[in-house]
Amino acid sequence: MIVRRIQVLDPQLANKIAAGEVVERPASVVKELVENSLDAGASSVTVEIREGGTEYIRVTDNGCGIAADDVSTAFLRHATSKLNSVEGLDGIETLGFRGEALASIAAVSHVSMRTRTEGDEYGTLIKIDGGLVKDSSPCGCPPGTSIEVGELFYNVPARLKFLKSARAEAAAVGDYMLRLILGNTGVSFKFISGGKPVFHSAGDGSLENAILCVYGGDISEHLKRVYYDDGYVLIEGFCGDEYVSKSNRVQQSVFVNGRYIRSQQISYAAQRAYNTRLMTGRFPFLVLSVRISPREVDVNVHPNKLTVRFRDEERIASAVMLAVKNALENETVLPDAAEASQPAAEDVYSVFRSDREREYYSFLNDAVKEAEPLNETEKAGEKAAEASDGIKPEAAAKAEPQSEVFFVQDSGTAGAAAERIDLNGVVHYDFTPPKKQEPIEKAEPVRFDMTAFRIIGVAFNTYIFVEQGESVYIIDQHAAHERINYEKLIRDELRFDSQLLLTSHVMKLTPTEYACLMDNIERFRELGFEIEEFGALSVSIHAVPTGTKTESIERLIHDMIGTIVKQGSVTELDVVRGALIQSSCKHAIKAGQPIDNASIESLLSHYADGSTPLTCPHGRPVMIRYTKREFEKMFKRIV
């Protein structure tokens, strides 16, 4: 066996290795450089990229600049002006503090920087290739700093080949610029990609104007202002109503002390505030700023600084839930001094209006308690990032409702039921069995023997009671008919003829959505759309699939993009699913509508072979079953 000697790595090699944690892609470079600009007090920042940032990145600011004597030192590893003692880690108030960014970027690219402080007559130019200083000399330049990064990863080809397309990388940069605009409303940002202006924010301190810059004016009427202050945490921002919900979390931006973060706890807390306002699988629009003492939050969790850890996770989650809940109810509830002085999250129960809401709040706390600390490793950090971007991690995929499993729902009266919310926001019902637990039989699809069932009657002109064998079935007439209609519709051949719009519809997208649509533009055309580029992050829609309502165009495209992001493609059924559900619901027997026995028999005949799913297209149960044995237990005939 050969004994390998231990040796100290060459500084250049060590910097290349370290760069892997800080510089993952062009968006990482932009993030680090712009955060330096913000820490330097800049009120104006311009970001320009070419080829998604792999070929060229330039970040220019009007900040305080770097003193001539410190320019070379700035590119040394662990060199920073933002931290000078261990004690400072307990209260970090700057975006950067590790002193790794410039060294890591310079190690894997060609870098040139021009910088000048207000008091200096001349600026300083420094050029670095692959971590080696090639030139350092005086130059003329305005106060502030301008950094150019060329040929990213030119000397690390293994990392270069794992980058995505130029359009996808540009979308990632654009997505981060979007977050910067929303989180720093007092700074004017200009973002240019491939020579075309994408964003240019006013920097006037108005979050409304920042949202307008990023998402366009159509979203304004669907926003509700969020405000909550209990003396421990201040939460401000906006949340959206159900009309601007998405099939992923791409429209959720959370900032802690000005730092953009990804937080599953905060996202799930906000989701709980919506309760039944959103359908399963829809996620709300959120722009939330959380202000808290720096000593109450740890930002030193991972080198990419996209995740943080709160000293009191439960209290933050409950505050977010309350803030969003109050906004949705058009109320601004300010806790009184007695409430603000209580450190325990449970003490905020008093603002809830009902015992049922207290239960939801309690379950939320349980979910937060069960949550493992996020991002202990880089792998965990990536998982959190995926969840925030709407890409399902394995756990979330397992929690998704399986639409093809349709068994009758048992009544569950043999035991007590408790609601539980898992970490993916899915509600589960845990049934506690009685002391003498009966053997659990495998569920079977319902099959009605059309010669061996008896219609008992109809309750409330909505619920049909049917006896078959030793079971009683309670059927929701509307849900049952809605499912039948839907099955008939999807069995018909789907034809995608286009209908021209009288006036072209211009739609603004996020950078990620825009890249996804343009990368799949041919598929959209196959499905009946006629779409072309219309300026930065905007498209002009000239034709849509026949039957598409004008007011549904944007939601349909958003949902299609979300489907592509999740499953990699979009099918014909995905395009028309919403229209089919709406049509099947519209033509179904209504709740409260009287029907006769002949209509009931006709309805049940569609469930005779057991092939018709036992949920309506929205996911609600069509029927539930009570067995004779369960009735006997309820009436204490057996124990």
Side-chain angles (χ1 to χ4, degrees), residues 569-635:
S569 63
V570 62
T571 66
E572 286 82 356
L573 185 57
D574 292 323
V575 177
V576 296
R577 188 182 300 275
L580 294 180
I581 290 174
Q582 185 178 16
S583 177
S584 61
C585 181
K586 181 179 179 180
H587 295 94
I589 299 168
K590 300 298 185 288
Q593 177 181 339
I595 60 174
D596 55 24
N597 281 8
S599 299
I600 294 174
E601 289 179 4
S602 175
L603 198 67
L604 296 181
S605 67
H606 293 278
Y607 294 88
D609 63 359
S611 63
T612 303
L614 292 178
T615 61
C616 78
H618 300 97
R620 294 187 293 268
V622 164
M623 63 184 74
I624 61 173
R625 176 181 62 196
Y626 285 87
T627 65
K628 179 182 178 182
R629 187 173 183 81
E630 286 176 311
F631 278 106
E632 289 173 339
K633 286 182 177 181
M634 283 190 288
F635 287 97

Coordinates of all heavy atoms in Angstrom, one line a residue, residues 569-635:
S569 N -42.4 18.7 -20.3 CA -43.2 18.8 -21.5 C -44.6 19.2 -21.2 O -45.0 19.1 -20.0 CB -43.1 17.5 -22.3 OG -43.8 16.5 -21.6
V570 N -45.4 19.5 -22.2 CA -46.8 19.8 -22.0 C -47.6 19.0 -23.0 O -47.2 19.0 -24.2 CB -47.0 21.3 -22.1 CG1 -46.7 21.9 -23.4 CG2 -48.5 21.6 -21.7
T571 N -48.7 18.4 -22.6 CA -49.5 17.6 -23.5 C -50.8 18.4 -23.9 O -51.1 19.5 -23.4 CB -50.0 16.3 -22.8 OG1 -50.9 16.7 -21.8 CG2 -48.8 15.6 -22.3
E572 N -51.5 17.8 -24.9 CA -52.7 18.5 -25.4 C -53.7 18.6 -24.2 O -54.4 19.6 -24.1 CB -53.3 17.6 -26.5 CG -52.6 17.8 -27.8 CD -51.4 16.9 -27.9 OE1 -51.1 16.2 -26.9 OE2 -50.7 16.8 -29.0
L573 N -53.8 17.5 -23.4 CA -54.7 17.6 -22.3 C -54.4 18.6 -21.3 O -55.3 19.3 -20.7 CB -54.7 16.2 -21.6 CG -55.8 16.0 -20.5 CD1 -57.2 16.3 -21.0 CD2 -55.7 14.6 -19.9
D574 N -53.1 18.9 -21.1 CA -52.7 20.0 -20.2 C -53.2 21.3 -20.6 O -53.6 22.2 -19.8 CB -51.1 20.1 -20.1 CG -50.5 18.9 -19.4 OD1 -51.1 18.4 -18.4 OD2 -49.5 18.4 -19.8
V575 N -53.2 21.5 -22.0 CA -53.7 22.8 -22.5 C -55.2 23.0 -22.2 O -55.6 24.1 -21.9 CB -53.4 22.8 -24.0 CG1 -53.9 24.1 -24.6 CG2 -51.9 22.7 -24.3
V576 N -56.0 22.0 -22.4 CA -57.4 22.2 -22.3 C -58.0 21.7 -21.0 O -59.2 21.8 -20.8 CB -58.1 21.5 -23.5 CG1 -57.7 22.1 -24.8 CG2 -57.8 20.0 -23.5
R577 N -57.2 21.2 -20.1 CA -57.7 20.7 -18.9 C -58.6 21.7 -18.1 O -59.7 21.3 -17.7 CB -56.6 20.2 -17.9 CG -57.1 19.5 -16.7 CD -55.9 19.1 -15.8 NE -54.9 18.3 -16.5 CZ -55.0 17.0 -16.6 NH1 -56.0 16.3 -16.1 NH2 -54.1 16.3 -17.2
G578 N -58.1 22.9 -18.0 CA -58.9 23.9 -17.3 C -60.3 24.1 -18.0 O -61.3 24.2 -17.3
A579 N -60.2 24.2 -19.3 CA -61.5 24.4 -20.1 C -62.4 23.3 -19.9 O -63.6 23.4 -19.8 CB -61.2 24.7 -21.5
L580 N -61.9 22.0 -19.9 CA -62.7 20.8 -19.8 C -63.3 20.8 -18.4 O -64.5 20.4 -18.3 CB -61.8 19.6 -20.0 CG -61.3 19.4 -21.5 CD1 -60.4 18.1 -21.5 CD2 -62.4 19.4 -22.5
I581 N -62.5 21.1 -17.4 CA -63.1 21.1 -16.1 C -64.2 22.1 -15.9 O -65.3 21.8 -15.4 CB -62.0 21.4 -15.0 CG1 -61.0 20.2 -15.0 CG2 -62.6 21.6 -13.6 CD1 -59.8 20.4 -14.1
Q582 N -64.0 23.3 -16.5 CA -65.0 24.3 -16.4 C -66.3 23.9 -17.1 O -67.4 24.1 -16.7 CB -64.5 25.6 -17.0 CG -65.4 26.8 -16.9 CD -64.8 28.1 -17.5 OE1 -63.8 28.0 -18.2 NE2 -65.4 29.2 -17.1
S583 N -66.1 23.3 -18.3 CA -67.3 22.8 -19.1 C -68.0 21.7 -18.4 O -69.3 21.7 -18.3 CB -66.8 22.4 -20.5 OG -67.9 21.9 -21.2
S584 N -67.3 20.7 -17.8 CA -67.9 19.6 -17.2 C -68.7 20.1 -15.9 O -69.8 19.5 -15.6 CB -66.9 18.5 -16.8 OG -65.9 19.0 -15.9
C585 N -68.2 21.1 -15.2 CA -68.8 21.6 -14.1 C -70.1 22.4 -14.5 O -71.1 22.2 -13.8 CB -67.9 22.5 -13.3 SG -68.6 23.3 -11.8
K586 N -70.0 23.2 -15.5 CA -71.1 24.0 -16.0 C -72.3 23.2 -16.4 O -73.5 23.5 -16.1 CB -70.6 24.9 -17.1 CG -71.7 25.8 -17.7 CD -71.2 26.6 -18.8 CE -72.3 27.6 -19.4 NZ -71.7 28.4 -20.5
H587 N -72.1 22.0 -17.0 CA -73.2 21.2 -17.5 C -73.6 20.0 -16.5 O -74.4 19.2 -16.9 CB -72.8 20.6 -18.8 CG -72.6 21.6 -19.9 ND1 -71.4 22.2 -20.2 CD2 -73.5 22.3 -20.7 CE1 -71.5 23.1 -21.2 NE2 -72.8 23.1 -21.5
A588 N -73.0 20.0 -15.3 CA -73.4 19.0 -14.4 C -74.6 19.3 -13.6 O -75.0 20.5 -13.5 CB -72.2 18.7 -13.4
I589 N -75.3 18.3 -13.1 CA -76.4 18.5 -12.2 C -75.9 19.4 -11.0 O -74.9 19.1 -10.4 CB -77.0 17.2 -11.7 CG1 -77.5 16.3 -12.8 CG2 -78.1 17.4 -10.6 CD1 -77.8 14.9 -12.5
K590 N -76.7 20.4 -10.6 CA -76.2 21.3 -9.5 C -76.6 20.7 -8.2 O -77.6 20.0 -8.0 CB -76.8 22.6 -9.7 CG -76.4 23.3 -11.0 CD -74.9 23.5 -11.1 CE -74.5 24.3 -12.4 NZ -74.7 23.5 -13.6
A591 N -75.8 21.1 -7.1 CA -76.2 20.8 -5.8 C -77.5 21.6 -5.5 O -77.6 22.7 -5.8 CB -75.1 21.2 -4.8
G592 N -78.5 20.9 -4.9 CA -79.8 21.5 -4.6 C -80.8 21.4 -5.7 O -81.9 21.8 -5.6
Q593 N -80.4 20.7 -6.8 CA -81.3 20.5 -7.9 C -82.0 19.2 -7.7 O -81.4 18.1 -7.7 CB -80.5 20.6 -9.2 CG -81.4 20.3 -10.5 CD -80.6 20.3 -11.7 OE1 -79.5 20.9 -11.8 NE2 -81.1 19.7 -12.8
P594 N -83.4 19.2 -7.7 CA -84.1 17.9 -7.5 C -83.9 17.0 -8.7 O -83.9 17.4 -9.8 CB -85.5 18.3 -7.3 CG -85.5 19.8 -7.0 CD -84.3 20.3 -7.7
I595 N -83.7 15.6 -8.4 CA -83.6 14.7 -9.5 C -84.4 13.4 -9.1 O -84.6 13.1 -7.9 CB -82.1 14.3 -9.8 CG1 -81.4 13.6 -8.6 CG2 -81.3 15.4 -10.3 CD1 -80.1 13.1 -8.9
D596 N -84.9 12.7 -10.1 CA -85.7 11.6 -9.8 C -84.9 10.3 -9.8 O -83.7 10.3 -10.1 CB -86.9 11.5 -10.8 CG -86.4 11.4 -12.3 OD1 -85.2 11.0 -12.5 OD2 -87.2 11.8 -13.2
N597 N -85.6 9.1 -9.5 CA -84.8 7.9 -9.4 C -84.3 7.4 -10.7 O -83.2 6.8 -10.8 CB -85.8 6.8 -8.8 CG -85.9 6.9 -7.3 OD1 -85.4 7.8 -6.7 ND2 -86.6 5.9 -6.7
A598 N -85.0 7.7 -11.8 CA -84.5 7.4 -13.1 C -83.1 8.1 -13.4 O -82.2 7.5 -14.0 CB -85.5 7.7 -14.2
S599 N -83.1 9.4 -13.0 CA -81.8 10.1 -13.3 C -80.7 9.6 -12.4 O -79.5 9.5 -12.8 CB -82.0 11.6 -13.0 OG -83.0 12.1 -13.8
I600 N -81.1 9.2 -11.1 CA -80.1 8.6 -10.2 C -79.5 7.3 -10.8 O -78.3 7.0 -10.8 CB -80.7 8.4 -8.8 CG1 -81.0 9.7 -8.2 CG2 -79.7 7.6 -8.0 CD1 -81.7 9.6 -6.9
E601 N -80.4 6.4 -11.3 CA -80.0 5.2 -11.9 C -79.1 5.4 -13.1 O -78.1 4.7 -13.3 CB -81.2 4.3 -12.3 CG -82.0 3.8 -11.1 CD -83.2 3.0 -11.5 OE1 -83.4 2.8 -12.7 OE2 -84.0 2.6 -10.6
S602 N -79.4 6.4 -13.9 CA -78.6 6.7 -15.1 C -77.2 7.2 -14.6 O -76.2 6.8 -15.2 CB -79.3 7.8 -15.9 OG -78.4 8.2 -17.0
L603 N -77.2 8.0 -13.5 CA -75.9 8.5 -13.0 C -75.1 7.3 -12.5 O -73.9 7.2 -12.8 CB -76.2 9.5 -11.9 CG -75.1 10.4 -11.4 CD1 -74.8 11.4 -12.5 CD2 -75.6 11.2 -10.1
L604 N -75.6 6.4 -11.7 CA -74.9 5.3 -11.1 C -74.4 4.3 -12.2 O -73.4 3.6 -11.9 CB -75.7 4.6 -10.1 CG -76.1 5.5 -8.9 CD1 -76.9 4.7 -7.9 CD2 -74.9 6.1 -8.2
S605 N -75.1 4.2 -13.3 CA -74.7 3.3 -14.3 C -73.3 3.5 -14.9 O -72.6 2.6 -15.3 CB -75.7 3.3 -15.5 OG -75.6 4.5 -16.2
H606 N -72.9 4.8 -14.8 CA -71.5 5.1 -15.3 C -70.4 4.6 -14.3 O -69.3 4.5 -14.7 CB -71.4 6.6 -15.4 CG -72.2 7.1 -16.5 ND1 -71.9 7.1 -17.9 CD2 -73.5 7.7 -16.5 CE1 -72.8 7.7 -18.6 NE2 -73.8 8.0 -17.8
Y607 N -70.9 4.2 -13.1 CA -69.9 3.7 -12.1 C -70.0 2.2 -11.9 O -69.5 1.6 -11.0 CB -70.1 4.4 -10.7 CG -69.8 5.9 -10.8 CD1 -70.8 6.8 -11.1 CD2 -68.5 6.3 -10.5 CE1 -70.5 8.1 -11.2 CE2 -68.2 7.7 -10.5 CZ -69.2 8.6 -10.9 OH -68.9 9.9 -10.9
A608 N -70.8 1.5 -12.9 CA -71.1 0.1 -12.7 C -69.8 -0.8 -12.9 O -69.7 -1.8 -12.3 CB -72.2 -0.3 -13.7
D609 N -68.9 -0.4 -13.8 CA -67.8 -1.2 -14.1 C -66.6 -0.9 -13.3 O -65.5 -1.5 -13.4 CB -67.5 -1.2 -15.6 CG -67.0 0.2 -16.1 OD1 -67.0 1.1 -15.2 OD2 -66.7 0.3 -17.2
G610 N -66.6 0.1 -12.4 CA -65.5 0.5 -11.6 C -64.4 1.2 -12.2 O -63.4 1.5 -11.6
S611 N -64.6 1.6 -13.5 CA -63.5 2.3 -14.2 C -63.6 3.8 -14.1 O -62.6 4.5 -14.4 CB -63.6 2.0 -15.7 OG -64.8 2.4 -16.3
T612 N -64.7 4.4 -13.6 CA -64.8 5.8 -13.5 C -64.2 6.3 -12.2 O -64.5 5.8 -11.1 CB -66.3 6.3 -13.5 OG1 -66.9 5.8 -14.7 CG2 -66.4 7.8 -13.5
P613 N -63.2 7.3 -12.3 CA -62.6 7.8 -11.0 C -63.6 8.3 -10.1 O -64.6 8.9 -10.4 CB -61.7 8.9 -11.6 CG -61.4 8.5 -13.0 CD -62.7 7.9 -13.5
L614 N -63.3 8.1 -8.8 CA -64.3 8.5 -7.7 C -63.9 9.8 -7.1 O -64.1 10.0 -5.9 CB -64.4 7.4 -6.7 CG -65.0 6.1 -7.2 CD1 -65.1 5.1 -6.1 CD2 -66.5 6.4 -7.7
T615 N -63.3 10.7 -7.9 CA -63.2 12.1 -7.5 C -63.7 13.0 -8.6 O -63.6 12.6 -9.8 CB -61.8 12.5 -7.1 OG1 -60.9 12.4 -8.3 CG2 -61.2 11.7 -6.0
C616 N -64.2 14.2 -8.3 CA -64.5 15.1 -9.4 C -63.2 15.7 -10.0 O -62.1 15.5 -9.4 CB -65.4 16.2 -8.8 SG -64.5 17.5 -7.9
P617 N -63.3 16.4 -11.1 CA -62.0 16.9 -11.7 C -61.3 17.9 -10.8 O -60.1 18.1 -11.0 CB -62.5 17.6 -13.0 CG -63.8 17.0 -13.3 CD -64.4 16.6 -12.0
H618 N -61.9 18.4 -9.8 CA -61.3 19.3 -8.8 C -60.6 18.6 -7.7 O -59.9 19.2 -6.9 CB -62.3 20.3 -8.2 CG -62.9 21.2 -9.3 ND1 -64.2 20.9 -9.8 CD2 -62.5 22.4 -9.9 CE1 -64.5 21.9 -10.7 NE2 -63.5 22.7 -10.7
G619 N -60.9 17.3 -7.6 CA -60.2 16.4 -6.6 C -61.1 16.1 -5.4 O -60.7 15.5 -4.5
R620 N -62.4 16.6 -5.4 CA -63.3 16.3 -4.3 C -63.9 14.9 -4.4 O -64.1 14.4 -5.6 CB -64.4 17.3 -4.2 CG -63.9 18.7 -3.9 CD -65.1 19.7 -3.7 NE -65.8 19.9 -4.9 CZ -65.6 20.9 -5.7 NH1 -64.6 21.8 -5.4 NH2 -66.3 21.1 -6.8
P621 N -64.2 14.2 -3.3 CA -64.7 12.9 -3.4 C -66.1 12.8 -4.1 O -66.9 13.7 -3.8 CB -64.7 12.4 -2.0 CG -64.8 13.6 -1.2 CD -64.0 14.6 -1.9
V622 N -66.4 11.8 -4.9 CA -67.7 11.7 -5.4 C -68.6 11.0 -4.4 O -69.8 11.3 -4.4 CB -67.6 10.8 -6.7 CG1 -68.9 10.3 -7.1 CG2 -67.0 11.6 -7.9
M623 N -68.1 10.1 -3.7 CA -68.9 9.3 -2.7 C -68.1 8.8 -1.5 O -66.9 8.7 -1.6 CB -69.6 8.2 -3.4 CG -68.7 7.1 -3.9 SD -69.6 5.8 -4.8 CE -70.0 6.7 -6.3
I624 N -68.8 8.6 -0.4 CA -68.2 7.9 0.7 C -69.0 6.7 1.1 O -70.2 6.6 0.7 CB -68.0 8.9 1.9 CG1 -69.4 9.4 2.4 CG2 -67.1 10.0 1.6 CD1 -69.3 10.2 3.7
R625 N -68.5 5.8 1.9 CA -69.2 4.6 2.2 C -69.2 4.4 3.7 O -68.2 4.6 4.4 CB -68.4 3.4 1.5 CG -69.0 2.0 1.9 CD -68.2 0.9 1.2 NE -66.8 0.9 1.7 CZ -65.9 0.2 1.0 NH1 -66.1 -0.4 -0.1 NH2 -64.6 0.3 1.5
Y626 N -70.3 3.9 4.2 CA -70.5 3.5 5.6 C -70.9 2.0 5.5 O -71.8 1.6 4.8 CB -71.5 4.2 6.3 CG -71.1 5.6 6.8 CD1 -71.3 6.7 5.9 CD2 -70.6 5.9 8.0 CE1 -70.9 8.0 6.3 CE2 -70.2 7.1 8.4 CZ -70.4 8.2 7.5 OH -70.1 9.5 7.9
T627 N -70.2 1.2 6.2 CA -70.5 -0.3 6.3 C -71.6 -0.5 7.4 O -71.7 0.3 8.3 CB -69.3 -1.1 6.5 OG1 -68.8 -0.9 7.8 CG2 -68.2 -0.9 5.5
K628 N -72.3 -1.6 7.3 CA -73.2 -2.0 8.3 C -72.5 -2.1 9.7 O -73.1 -1.7 10.7 CB -73.9 -3.4 7.9 CG -74.9 -3.9 9.0 CD -75.4 -5.2 8.6 CE -76.4 -5.7 9.6 NZ -76.9 -7.1 9.3
R629 N -71.3 -2.6 9.7 CA -70.6 -2.8 10.9 C -70.3 -1.4 11.6 O -70.4 -1.3 12.8 CB -69.3 -3.5 10.7 CG -68.5 -3.9 11.9 CD -67.3 -4.8 11.6 NE -66.6 -5.2 12.8 CZ -67.0 -6.2 13.6 NH1 -68.1 -6.9 13.3 NH2 -66.3 -6.5 14.6
E630 N -70.0 -0.4 10.7 CA -69.7 0.9 11.3 C -71.0 1.5 11.9 O -70.9 2.2 12.9 CB -69.2 1.8 10.2 CG -67.7 1.5 9.8 CD -67.2 2.3 8.7 OE1 -67.9 2.4 7.6 OE2 -66.2 2.9 8.8
F631 N -72.2 1.3 11.2 CA -73.4 1.7 11.8 C -73.6 1.1 13.2 O -74.0 1.7 14.2 CB -74.6 1.4 10.9 CG -74.8 2.5 9.8 CD1 -74.4 2.2 8.5 CD2 -75.3 3.7 10.1 CE1 -74.6 3.1 7.5 CE2 -75.5 4.7 9.1 CZ -75.1 4.4 7.8
E632 N -73.4 -0.3 13.2 CA -73.6 -1.0 14.5 C -72.7 -0.5 15.6 O -73.0 -0.4 16.8 CB -73.4 -2.5 14.3 CG -74.5 -3.1 13.4 CD -74.2 -4.5 13.0 OE1 -73.1 -4.9 13.0 OE2 -75.2 -5.3 12.7
K633 N -71.4 -0.1 15.2 CA -70.5 0.5 16.2 C -71.0 1.9 16.7 O -70.9 2.2 17.9 CB -69.1 0.6 15.6 CG -68.4 -0.7 15.5 CD -67.0 -0.5 14.9 CE -66.2 -1.8 14.9 NZ -64.9 -1.7 14.3
M634 N -71.5 2.7 15.8 CA -71.9 4.0 16.1 C -73.1 3.9 17.1 O -73.3 4.7 18.0 CB -72.3 4.8 14.9 CG -71.1 5.3 14.1 SD -71.6 6.5 12.8 CE -72.4 5.4 11.6
F635 N -74.0 2.9 16.9 CA -75.2 2.8 17.8 C -74.9 1.8 18.9 O -75.9 1.4 19.6 CB -76.4 2.3 16.9 CG -76.9 3.4 16.1 CD1 -76.6 3.6 14.8 CD2 -77.8 4.4 16.6 CE1 -77.1 4.6 14.0 CE2 -78.3 5.4 15.9 CZ -77.9 5.5 14.5

